Amino acid sequence: MYVFIFTTVVVGFAAAGVVMLLFRLWGRKVPKYVIPFVAAVAMFCYMIWDEYSWFERYDARLPDTITVIQTFTDENPFAPWTLISAPINRFTAIDRDKLVTNPGNPDQKRVTTLLLKKGAETLALTHLVDCASGKRGYITADNNLDENGFPTDMTEWFDMDADDPLRAAVCR
């Protein structure tokens, strides 16, 4: 967050500096309203660019083992352009290196999902997905695990739709 604020301010100062330099090269005096106006427009444009390009920049930096399975957008009435085209500001991904099939039950798979949101910490969750029944559960420190690392006492299951992105990515 601090980097974003710092970068936005630097962009504003840089744009104002370029305009001041251009006016000096033309030999004219800069009107008082031009510098703050140019700085504000530059910072506003940078903020919009950052919002709309965040997902592509972040996705390009992910390792090949991470697969994005779902993206989310948020509309904001205080940013009316998002009502027309909302930027992607969070997504869910799975780590293919941490996808493990249960040797005792090939329909069960353990997978780590990553929940990423712009400006927030990454959350990693470990799921047990039962492909045959279409259910998933969270593996926590409270679960007893067998020798393969799969829970033996999974009591809380959640139904998954047939088109659930996690189910589609894990149960291929």
Side-chain angles (χ1 to χ4, degrees), residues 8-24 30-43:
T8 304
V9 170
V10 168
V11 166
F13 274 108
V18 168
V19 169
M20 288 172 51
L21 180 65
L22 290 175
F23 269 90
R24 181 166 282 193
V30 182
K32 289 188 179 229
Y33 65 89
V34 170
I35 298 301
F37 178 75
V38 167
V41 168
M43 292 188 320

Side-chain angles (χ1 to χ4, degrees), residues 38-83:
V38 167
V41 168
M43 292 188 320
F44 188 69
C45 289
Y46 172 75
M47 288 168 38
I48 291 174
W49 171 83
D50 184 66
E51 286 291 320
Y52 280 90
S53 66
W54 172 80
F55 173 70
E56 286 78 19
R57 290 182 288 129
Y58 206 97
D59 186 36
R61 291 191 326 240
L62 292 174
D64 294 334
T65 60
I66 305 291
T67 304
V68 175
I69 61 171
Q70 192 173 18
T71 59
F72 302 93
T73 60
D74 285 334
E75 296 175 347
N76 183 353
F78 295 112
W81 56 90
T82 63
L83 301 175

